[in-house]
């Protein structure tokens, strides 16, 4: 595809030490324009039409834009942005399709969800295309169980063995004991500093009292009498 050609060209330029930032930015901007047009294609997709290809294309293209495109820049042209497409229309697509996408990703099979979200990772990181190859990594993804996290997905954690659970519990216990020791050490240090400040204050007060006593012992000088000048 054209986007894949842009990415391949970008990788070649990025690996060339003689390449300039202008060339890199040019090819990234070109890929952003193509991804933006792909996003607009899904504006009127219905809930029943979503499949692995549609969901993977929309999510990977919009995520690429979110990470690579600089929004609200060069908005003086007729189309409204450097993408030659009004940026508000791209966000409108995501807002219109957000609920259907979440419902589809939550209801589809685990294999389909893994394929879609791994495609997003590959496209966004330039590590591959939307369609997986034989040597591409395929990890397991799952939705967060908390009802407040609907629409959020993360990589599934492998089941831990009893030895791993015991080691984690031991490490957690050691961490808590270390925190208690550090807390006690901070308390002792604070108490020591407080005693040191109190001793210094007491010593200073003693010096002031002694100085006041010595001033009291000194004889007071008689007031100086100034004689008035008499005119002869």
């Amino acid at each position: 595809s054209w986007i894949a050609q842009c990415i391949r060209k970008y990788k070649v330029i990025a690996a060339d030490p003689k390449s300039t930032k202008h060339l890199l930015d040019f090819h990234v901007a070109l890929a952003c324009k193509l991804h933006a047009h792909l996003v607009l294609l899904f504006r009127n997709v219905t809930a029943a039409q979503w499949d692995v290809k549609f969901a993977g294309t929309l999510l990977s293209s919009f995520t690429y834009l979110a990470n690579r495109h600089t929004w609200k820049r060069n908005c003086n042209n007729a189309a409204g942005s450097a993408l030659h497409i009004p940026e508000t229309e791209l966000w409108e697509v995501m807002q219109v399709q957000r609920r259907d996408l979440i419902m589809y990703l939550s209801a589809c099979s685990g294999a389909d969800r893994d394929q879609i979200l791994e495609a997003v990772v590959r496209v966004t990181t330039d590590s591959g295309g939307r369609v997986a190859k034989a040597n591409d990594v395929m990890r397991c993804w799952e939705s967060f169980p908390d009802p407040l996290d609907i629409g959020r997905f993360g990589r599934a954690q492998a089941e831990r063995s009893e030895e791993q659970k015991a080691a984690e519990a031991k490490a957690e216990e050691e961490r808590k004991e270390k925190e208690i020791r550090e807390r006690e050490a901070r308390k002792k240090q604070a108490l020591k500093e407080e005693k040191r400040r109190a001793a210094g204050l007491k010593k200073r007060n003693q010096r002031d009292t002694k100085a006041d006593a010595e001033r009291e012992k000194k004889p007071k000088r008689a007031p100086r009498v100034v004689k008035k000048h008499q005119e002869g």
Side-chain angles (χ1 to χ4, degrees):
S1 65
W2 291 346
I3 296 176
Q5 293 178 18
C6 288
I7 298 302
R8 284 196 294 268
K9 183 67 174 178
Y10 170 80
K11 290 182 178 180
V12 172
I13 295 175
D16 186 1
K18 297 181 180 180
S19 62
T20 62
K21 184 176 183 299
H22 175 74
L23 285 175
L24 295 173
D25 292 344
F26 172 78
H27 284 84
V28 171
L30 185 58
C32 285
K33 292 176 185 178
L34 296 173
H35 279 296
H37 282 81
L38 285 177
V39 170
L40 286 185
L41 295 178
F42 298 93
R43 172 62 178 80
N44 297 317
V45 173
T46 62
Q49 292 177 316
W50 286 108
D51 57 12
V52 174
K53 181 179 179 180
F54 279 14
T57 303
L58 175 58
L59 289 176
S60 59
S61 293
F62 193 85
T63 306
Y64 187 93
L65 288 172
N67 284 275
R68 301 300 181 90
H69 175 62
T70 303
W71 303 91
K72 295 183 179 180
R73 188 178 67 176
N74 299 332
C75 295
N76 296 324
N77 55 43
S81 75
L83 299 173
H84 300 291
I85 293 175
E87 294 175 350
T88 53
E89 292 190 10
L90 300 175
W91 288 100
E92 180 187 11
V93 173
M94 288 305 300
Q95 293 303 321
V96 169
Q97 301 294 357
R98 182 188 300 274
R99 182 179 178 83
D100 290 343
L101 269 175
I102 292 174
M103 297 301 293
Y104 172 73
L105 288 173
S106 301
C108 69
S109 64
D112 289 345
R113 182 167 55 246
D114 298 343
Q115 188 175 346
I116 293 169
L117 297 179
E118 281 298 324
V120 175
V121 174
R122 288 192 301 271
V123 171
T124 307
T125 59
D126 293 337
S127 59
R130 184 184 57 80
V131 180
K133 296 181 179 179
N135 57 346
D136 286 337
V137 177
M138 188 62 65
R139 289 155 291 200
C140 296
W141 294 74
E142 62 183 4
S143 59
F144 288 5
D146 195 319
L148 298 178
D149 289 329
I150 294 177
R152 299 183 64 187
F153 298 87
R155 290 175 183 169
Q157 297 182 356
E159 185 65 25
R160 295 168 297 174
S161 63
E162 293 298 329
E163 291 79 6
Q164 290 175 329
K165 292 179 181 179
E168 291 176 0
K170 183 179 179 181
E172 180 66 16
E173 187 176 347
E174 292 176 352
R175 183 187 65 81
K176 291 181 179 179
E177 292 178 354
K178 183 180 178 181
E179 287 182 355
I180 292 174
R181 290 195 299 269
E182 291 176 350
R183 193 181 305 117
E184 293 296 330
R186 288 194 297 268
K187 287 182 180 179
K188 291 180 180 180
Q189 184 66 25
L191 183 60
K192 188 183 297 184
E193 293 292 335
E194 185 65 26
K195 289 181 178 180
R196 187 180 303 165
R197 285 194 296 268
L201 182 60
K202 183 179 180 180
K203 189 179 294 185
R204 187 172 60 187
N205 291 337
Q206 290 175 351
R207 287 198 304 266
D208 293 343
T209 302
K210 185 177 180 181
D212 292 340
E214 291 178 353
R215 282 195 297 269
E216 291 293 334
K217 291 179 181 179
K218 289 182 180 179
K220 297 182 180 180
R221 293 189 303 174
R224 182 180 178 185
V225 179
V226 180
K227 296 181 178 181
K228 294 183 180 180
H229 177 70
Q230 297 179 355
E231 295 181 359

